[in-house]
Amino acid sequence: MNRPSSGRGRRLTAALALVLLAAGIGYTALRPSGKPTRAAIIVGAHAANFTAADTTIGPLQDQRIFYPTTLPASFIGSAGDRLPAGVTAVISYKTASINVVSFVRSIPADRPVIMIFHAEPEHSYGARGATFVAQFESQSNLIRSVHRANVRIAMAAEAYEYVDGRDGVSGSYLPPAGYVDTYLLDYYEPVPTAKGIAKNRKFQAWYRLVKNRGKPLGFAEYGLSSNGTAAGNARRVATLKADNAWISAHGPFAIWSYWWQDPATTTGKDNWQFTDPGAIAEWHAIEDAHG
């Protein structure tokens, strides 16, 4: 059940915290005790229907928005502009340079935004990591030229590419820290093990490459599947608990955004969109217990 009385405050506090952390001021600036107590500053989801997701597993603090090619000329009137106040718009685009300046310039000062140029580049560029990094640096410079304090820049890697000699293993896709406000990962477990990221080779290989770069980390996409059985749902809940514990011990992460959307045809194990009471309760606990 959603808790609208507290949702707006949590969203605005989390949005401010992300700006402070990315600017280097630090998460503890918002904690009188000096102790960070939440696993991730922004806890949200990507969903085809934000309102339905917000009602079911919210209050959500971000929404991922995809532009498979070019950005619109203006943020005003776009999907991100229609989100509730305080919700961070995490915006991915692939066509370099076109409309980037006008789009960023039109973002209102009170809307927190994370810009991602070409998420999961390892999948598209193959062994050409240097080509991607050069393009990313150009886009980072372009976005920063607008001087919007509420707009942050992220690189979103693909976890699959960080083991077994695949294209991400060398770290060649990771832009220098000077061009990035936060390093993010798209991470999925088709068959959750209940051990979570602490024991996942893909996640840990990526984490070793980014953990000492002086930038906050996070999940741009995070999904745990289930076969729909009671046992499968229980493994998903156990994995959520395990990952919350690991991130709490190693974070805080800047963002933890769940992929609350199934494929157009859901078969077998690919039901990322949890609707069972146990997973909903655990996600609420991740949002609320440390907030």
Side-chain angles (χ1 to χ4, degrees), residues 17 20-21 25-31 35-41 252 290:
L20 291 175
L21 184 59
I25 296 173
Y27 183 64
T28 56
L30 296 183
R31 297 290 182 181
K35 181 181 179 181
T37 58
R38 186 182 180 129
I41 295 169
H290 306 293

Side-chain angles (χ1 to χ4, degrees), residues 15-16 18-25 88-91 104 107 111-117 140 143-144 148-155 179-182 215-216:
L16 174 60
L18 180 59
V19 171
L20 291 175
L21 184 59
I25 296 173
T88 298
V90 183
I91 297 171
V104 175
I107 297 172
R111 170 66 65 184
V113 170
I114 298 174
M115 299 291 296
I116 300 174
F117 170 66
S140 178
I143 292 166
R144 287 178 173 173
R148 287 288 189 268
N150 56 309
V151 177
R152 295 293 149 188
I153 299 166
M155 185 272 177
Y179 294 91
V180 179
D181 293 310
T182 178
K215 298 293 181 177

Side-chain angles (χ1 to χ4, degrees), residues 105-131:
R105 185 175 287 147
S106 67
I107 297 172
D110 60 352
R111 170 66 65 184
V113 170
I114 298 174
M115 299 291 296
I116 300 174
F117 170 66
H118 213 300
E120 300 187 7
E122 306 91 347
H123 184 72
S124 301
Y125 286 74
R128 298 179 297 119
T131 300

Side-chain angles (χ1 to χ4, degrees), residues 22-254:
I25 296 173
Y27 183 64
T28 56
L30 296 183
R31 297 290 182 181
S33 66
K35 181 181 179 181
T37 58
R38 186 182 180 129
I41 295 169
I42 301 291
V43 179
H46 167 73
N49 185 324
F50 180 85
T51 300
D54 194 42
T55 299
T56 306
I57 65 170
L60 301 177
Q61 296 170 324
D62 85 272
Q63 164 75 319
R64 184 80 175 275
I65 298 165
F66 294 92
Y67 293 103
T69 54
T70 307
L71 285 168
S74 176
F75 181 85
I76 303 303
S78 70
D81 192 35
R82 294 191 294 271
L83 293 172
V87 173
T88 298
V90 183
I91 297 171
S92 291
Y93 71 102
K94 289 187 176 180
T95 302
S97 302
I98 297 175
N99 291 338
V100 173
V101 169
S102 65
F103 183 85
V104 175
R105 185 175 287 147
S106 67
I107 297 172
D110 60 352
R111 170 66 65 184
V113 170
I114 298 174
M115 299 291 296
I116 300 174
F117 170 66
H118 213 300
E120 300 187 7
E122 306 91 347
H123 184 72
S124 301
Y125 286 74
R128 298 179 297 119
T131 300
F132 165 74
V133 169
Q135 292 179 356
F136 186 98
E137 290 175 357
S138 174
Q139 296 308 290
S140 178
N141 287 336
L142 203 58
I143 292 166
R144 287 178 173 173
S145 73
V146 185
H147 302 293
R148 287 288 189 268
N150 56 309
V151 177
R152 295 293 149 188
I153 299 166
M155 185 272 177
E158 181 183 15
Y160 174 83
E161 294 287 345
Y162 284 79
V163 290
D164 300 332
R166 296 175 186 140
D167 291 319
V169 170
S170 66
S172 63
Y173 274 90
L174 301 172
Y179 294 91
V180 179
D181 293 310
T182 178
Y183 290 99
L184 305 181
L185 186 68
D186 291 354
Y187 173 86
Y188 293 89
E189 283 193 41
V191 183
T193 63
K195 298 176 182 178
I197 57 178
K199 301 296 183 181
N200 185 274
R201 292 191 304 128
K202 294 175 293 188
F203 174 84
Q204 289 297 328
W206 171 82
Y207 179 70
R208 285 192 294 271
L209 289 169
V210 296
K211 67 177 181 178
N212 293 322
R213 290 179 173 235
K215 298 293 181 177
L217 311 179
F219 287 118
E221 299 174 18
Y222 170 96
L224 304 176
S225 191
S226 167
N227 57 11
T229 66
N233 291 341
R235 283 193 299 271
R236 177 156 52 193
V237 172
T239 304
L240 283 172
K241 289 179 181 290
D243 288 348
N244 191 35
W246 191 94
I247 297 169
S248 296
H250 294 82
F253 273 13

